[in-house]
Amino acid sequence: MRVLVTGGAGFIGSHIVTALAAHGHEPLVLDRAVRPGDDVRDPDVVAAALVGVDAVCHQAAMVGLGTGFADAPAYVSCNDLGTAVLLTAMADAGVRELVLAGSMVVYGEGRYECPEHGVVRPGPRPAEWLDAGRFEPPCPCCEAELSPGLVAEDAPVDPRNVYATTKLAQEHLAAAWARATGGRAVSLRYHNVYGPGMPRDTPYAGVASFFRSSLARGEAPRVFEDGRQRRDFVHVRDVAAANVVALEALSSRPPGALTAYNTGSGTPHTVGEMARALASAHGGPAPVVTGEYRLGDVRHITADSARLRSELGWKPVVGFAEGMVEFAAAG
């Protein structure tokens, strides 16, 4: 299969290119890092890149929380306009198979259960709570303490920041494209991806990258809130493998629809655990819990990836401990 990988020179995209080639496919890369003029928002560039292509793996995006709402036009342009241009070109070229880099951020907060009211959805945490060190969201009905759990693909979506909103819009655009063209689309809702090649020292990098950069400078990783916020850290090679199995399964899927799959390790860890694992592997100073916070961050968000495992036969192979040791040593 000849597969166009947008953002194929990036962190996740480059691993997907390697995985596709290892499985006998022919990956083609569309990425400004390879050729500065290769912008997914340019219709002519995208049309030329799609010639002879069987499927598209769309990874090109502006990621992370960035520096504030002032980033909104850039996020919408890169993520949503870029996706619209790509899908329009795919419709014109007759390319009908798409795997989209989705994100768990579309859910907002994760799944919570109240002893009295069952599954509930707490609202955004106000700044006054966070200033007072009140990090856990209470039950919106009775303010009781909640138990966090795994969120499934049928959970309501509730994006809490600009990046999350653009990622959900990408899914809606892809679903509309599939209905209009008879295309087949999958969105892999990535959880916290880490591993070799992860960007560092930018406002758009992930927390694992920030911690590793601190350790490389001989500084203690600074852990926000109380360090107990739960995430699902999934290795980039496992994410690349998920893209390959999703692409290979597209031809057997019903046309005219988009299916979303959570793509996580299935084993939650706290941000504090991750910081300690990296510090231990690096031999650097122990993490410092600061109590700082970022508005727009959610408290707990962890995946139920059972659908991806049962329907496509994917399973992660890189464990948390070995992955953190490798990541700590990566250049």
Side-chain angles (χ1 to χ4, degrees):
M1 183 167 23
R2 205 162 189 242
V3 183
L4 178 66
V5 184
T6 70
F11 167 44
I12 298 174
S14 60
H15 285 272
I16 293 171
V17 167
T18 299
L20 284 167
H23 282 77
H25 301 292
E26 182 184 355
L28 306 174
V29 172
L30 177 64
D31 195 305
R32 286 181 295 176
V34 177
R35 292 194 308 176
D38 281 358
D39 192 327
V40 75
R41 293 167 291 186
D42 186 321
D44 293 333
V45 167
V46 177
L50 287 169
V51 174
V53 164
D54 301 304
V56 173
C57 187
H58 184 31
Q59 305 296 309
M62 185 174 178
V63 301
L65 283 182
T67 58
F69 196 82
D71 286 332
Y75 274 114
V76 172
S77 178
C78 290
N79 297 354
D80 298 338
L81 176 60
T83 299
V85 169
L86 172 67
L87 294 171
T88 301
M90 289 175 66
D92 292 341
V95 180
R96 297 292 183 263
E97 297 187 352
L98 170 73
V99 172
L100 172 68
S103 175
M104 55 83 184
V105 295
V106 301
Y107 298 118
E109 285 285 354
R111 185 182 188 276
Y112 292 87
E113 190 163 350
C114 171
E116 180 178 353
H117 296 98
V119 175
V120 295
R121 292 190 61 79
R125 299 174 297 166
E128 55 266 29
W129 289 7
L130 301 171
D131 287 336
R134 185 183 175 188
F135 301 123
E136 294 288 349
C139 175
C141 303
C142 66
E143 297 198 349
E145 184 177 343
L146 299 175
S147 299
L150 301 181
V151 61
E153 290 89 350
D154 59 357
V157 291
D158 183 19
R160 299 278 176 97
N161 54 60
V162 171
Y163 170 62
T165 303
T166 64
K167 295 306 290 184
L168 182 57
Q170 284 185 310
E171 288 194 359
H172 289 321
L173 287 166
W177 164 85
R179 287 192 295 270
T181 66
R184 296 173 169 90
V186 161
S187 176
L188 297 177
R189 290 176 174 170
Y190 302 158
H191 278 246
N192 290 71
V193 186
Y194 74 97
M198 190 175 191
R200 61 173 69 197
D201 300 327
T202 83
Y204 308 95
V207 65
S209 180
F210 290 140
F211 291 166
R212 187 182 62 177
S213 294
S214 295
L215 290 163
R217 296 192 297 267
E219 301 170 1
R222 296 176 60 83
V223 180
F224 280 15
E225 300 189 17
D226 58 3
R228 296 175 184 169
Q229 50 277 52
R230 288 159 48 104
R231 297 292 187 268
D232 186 322
F233 299 102
V234 59
H235 196 278
V236 66
R237 287 196 298 274
D238 287 330
V239 168
N243 276 268
V244 174
V245 299
L247 282 162
E248 292 177 341
L250 277 173
S251 61
S252 63
R253 304 196 65 80
L258 176 142
T259 303
Y261 291 102
N262 288 335
T263 308
S265 72
T267 306
H269 291 275
T270 68
V271 172
E273 282 181 282
M274 188 263 287
R276 290 190 294 271
L278 274 180
S280 175
H282 192 276
V288 174
V289 177
T290 69
E292 298 170 89
Y293 64 85
R294 296 189 304 180
L295 275 177
D297 272 352
V298 297
R299 178 61 174 174
H300 304 295
I301 176 69
T302 52
D304 180 350
S305 299
R307 177 187 288 179
L308 184 56
R309 295 173 186 238
S310 63
E311 293 188 10
L312 299 187
W314 171 87
K315 63 179 182 179
V317 299
V318 182
F320 178 78
E322 75 173 282
M324 289 298 163
V325 168
E326 179 198 32
F327 182 58

